[in-house]
Amino acid sequence: MAAWVKGLGWVTRPLLSVVRTWDLDARRWVRALRRSPVRVVFPSGQAVGRKPGPEKQPRRAAAEASPHEQRQKPPLQVSASQTSGAWEESGLRYDKALPGDRRLSVMTIVKSRPFREKQGKILLEGRRLIADALKAGAVPKVFFFSRLEYIKELPIDKLKGVSLIKVKFEDIKDWSDLVTPQGIMGIFARPDHVKMTYPETQLRHLLPLLLICDNLRDPGNLGTILRSAAGAGCSKVLLTKGCVDPWEPKVLRAAMGAHFLVPIINNLDWETLPNYLPTDTRVYVADNCGLYAQAQMSDKASDHGWVCDRRLSKLHKYEEEEEGEDLEPGASKAWLPELEVQSYDLDWTEAPAAVVIGGETHGVSLESLQLAESTGGKRLLIPVVPGVDSLNSAMAASILLFEGRRQLRVRAEHLSRDRCYH
């Protein structure tokens, strides 16, 4: 009996061990099935081979194929991570940047003004801004993008010969100043206003109205002013030396594409600036301290609806210096241009007009006053409540530009009405 029990235990021992092995390796069998094995061997010893799909053939059958059939196989396609990819529908190719790619190092210096001036290149970000630039005729050099569909949205004829580099979205986030980057950035050649192509609708609504920015240094203000100039229909915007670079990223964001709607000429000297003005143009100065002398005479600045702080205009520094000098009677302040002051809502657009907007810190320059005097211009006054020093430069520019547009529209309506009567 004992021998029979001992033999029975020997017989049943393999069965117990097999069951235990099956329980422990159950996950392994599931993982093997997920990997699509060539053959599955069960614990009972039964083997089941996997049937190949209709589009695939076993390796042995492929090896036994004739040499003629092997020659007819198409060449292997190399992935974009190794070489450049191709657009089947357009033939354009792009490169995928690898870690340590030297072509990405330019993004660390492209935002600086010395790079823009020496290399003659600018940085644009966002699909809409890039599309506006391409439509206006700006010449692209390099595009960095995180998704291929961002590039496919752009005109194909504008992308020929342009370096297209696909990068990670994390790289664009590091380069971008936006809270939510749009996934595409482009390096363009610095646009030339002579070679630009502006929209036909913008050209049809151009007015004999120009804007001159005098030592305007705030990027946000300049961008807003450019946007207002495009909306009012200005024919040209002139920037003197000392103004912020109009192609700085902050200015581009604030302008919302206005750079490609109105010609912008920057870095001008006051000696050469009159060459960019049409014939018979009158220059008007938006000077927040226009009634300073009259206010001093009456000792009541509130009588003129304007309060002017001497610290906001460098012209007053010159006046204070003159007061301490021994000058002949009647000769003091003779060197200062004497411009008539008029309210901004009176007619001042009977001839082509140019409006000068100065910076908020120093105001308008002496050269702008001299230019206004030589052209028969005036100071334009926007009355404000007493106690307010001045308006924001962008706000003042917007008020004057759209007031000029209103005056020109009213004059055109009167002329058309007179022609109907006659």
Side-chain angles (χ1 to χ4, degrees):
M1 185 67 179
W4 182 82
V5 173
K6 185 176 181 181
L8 183 60
W10 179 82
V11 173
T12 58
R13 189 174 302 159
L15 296 176
L16 295 176
S17 60
V18 171
V19 174
R20 187 181 299 112
T21 304
W22 173 258
D23 294 339
L24 292 176
D25 297 342
R27 297 181 61 185
R28 181 179 300 173
W29 290 110
V30 174
R31 187 162 56 250
L33 290 174
R34 288 178 179 174
R35 292 178 178 173
S36 300
V38 177
R39 179 176 297 179
V40 180
V41 181
F42 293 95
S44 61
Q46 182 183 2
V48 179
R50 184 177 63 87
K51 295 181 180 181
E55 72 283 355
K56 298 181 181 179
Q57 59 179 354
R59 296 182 181 178
R60 184 176 300 176
E64 294 176 356
S66 62
H68 179 69
E69 294 177 355
Q70 292 181 0
R71 295 193 198 100
Q72 292 180 352
K73 289 184 178 181
L76 295 176
Q77 296 290 338
V78 184
S79 62
S81 60
Q82 298 177 1
T83 60
S84 58
W87 296 358
E88 297 179 357
E89 66 277 9
S90 61
L92 296 177
R93 306 179 66 87
Y94 68 92
D95 296 335
K96 186 174 181 180
L98 300 176
D101 197 324
R102 294 183 178 180
R103 293 173 297 181
L104 307 183
S105 60
V106 68
M107 299 301 294
T108 59
I109 59 175
V110 70
K111 297 180 182 179
S112 63
R113 184 164 186 168
F115 178 86
R116 292 193 296 268
E117 294 178 350
K118 293 181 181 179
Q119 301 295 331
K121 298 178 182 179
I122 62 171
L123 176 66
L124 301 181
E125 181 179 1
R127 285 173 280 178
R128 181 177 177 180
L129 185 60
I130 290 176
D132 292 342
L134 294 175
K135 190 181 299 183
V139 180
K141 298 297 183 181
V142 185
F143 280 121
F144 299 96
F145 58 95
S146 60
R147 301 180 65 178
L148 187 58
E149 46 265 34
Y150 296 157
I151 289 292
K152 290 185 177 181
E153 294 176 355
L154 303 178
I156 296 177
D157 57 333
K158 301 288 186 178
L159 301 180
K160 295 181 179 180
V162 182
S163 179
L164 307 176
I165 304 176
K166 185 177 181 181
V167 298
K168 296 181 180 179
F169 185 72
E170 288 73 14
D171 294 334
I172 293 184
K173 288 179 64 177
D174 294 339
W175 301 332
S176 175
D177 296 331
L178 302 178
V179 179
T180 56
Q182 299 186 24
I184 182 171
M185 307 177 77
I187 298 179
F188 286 71
R190 193 183 185 98
D192 186 358
H193 70 281
V194 178
K195 301 178 181 179
M196 297 288 286
T197 303
Y198 299 100
E200 290 294 334
T201 55
Q202 189 74 17
L203 296 177
R204 286 198 303 264
H205 293 84
L206 288 183
L207 302 175
L209 188 63
L210 286 82
L211 179 65
I212 302 174
C213 296
D214 181 13
N215 202 23
L216 199 63
R217 301 181 182 181
D218 186 85
N221 283 343
L222 180 58
T224 306
I225 288 174
L226 294 177
R227 190 175 180 182
S228 298
C234 279
S235 59
K236 199 178 299 182
V237 178
L238 308 178
L239 277 68
T240 63
K241 286 186 176 180
C243 290
V244 64
D245 186 6
W247 300 105
E248 183 177 317
K250 291 183 180 179
V251 181
L252 288 166
R253 289 199 303 271
M256 294 293 292
H259 291 73
F260 308 106
L261 298 176
V262 57
I264 301 174
I265 308 173
N266 66 321
N267 204 27
L268 295 176
D269 293 320
W270 284 104
E271 291 76 12
T272 60
L273 188 142
N275 300 332
Y276 296 89
L277 299 178
T279 307
D280 300 331
T281 300
R282 294 183 182 179
V283 178
Y284 296 87
V285 179
D287 187 7
N288 61 340
C289 299
L291 297 181
Y292 176 69
Q294 292 89 327
Q296 270 194 326
M297 294 175 59
S298 63
D299 294 330
K300 291 182 180 180
S302 59
D303 292 346
H304 304 277
W306 191 271
V307 177
C308 178
D309 191 341
R310 295 188 185 186
R311 295 172 296 178
L312 297 179
S313 177
K314 61 182 180 181
L315 296 180
H316 301 154
K317 179 180 178 181
Y318 303 146
E319 294 176 358
E320 292 174 0
E321 291 178 354
E322 276 196 351
E323 292 177 357
E325 297 177 356
D326 296 333
L327 299 176
E328 297 180 0
S332 62
K333 300 185 182 180
W335 59 275
L336 281 175
E338 296 182 359
L339 296 178
E340 181 183 350
V341 179
Q342 79 169 42
S343 180
Y344 78 103
D345 54 351
L346 299 179
D347 190 8
W348 48 272
T349 56
E350 62 275 3
V355 179
V356 180
I357 299 294
E360 296 183 6
T361 304
H362 301 287
V364 293
S365 63
L366 176 62
E367 292 80 2
S368 65
L369 297 177
Q370 293 174 346
L371 180 61
E373 183 184 32
S374 63
T375 59
K378 301 178 182 179
R379 297 177 189 245
L380 298 180
L381 175 66
I382 305 176
V384 296
V385 175
V388 178
D389 291 336
S390 64
L391 293 177
N392 177 273
S393 297
M395 182 63 67
S398 301
I399 292 174
L400 295 177
L401 292 178
F402 280 93
E403 171 61 22
R405 179 179 178 83
R406 185 195 66 82
Q407 294 181 10
L408 291 172
R409 187 184 72 251
V410 172
R411 182 176 290 104
E413 291 176 355
H414 289 170
L415 290 176
S416 62
R417 194 176 304 166
D418 293 343
R419 290 174 184 174
C420 294
Y421 290 154
H422 297 295

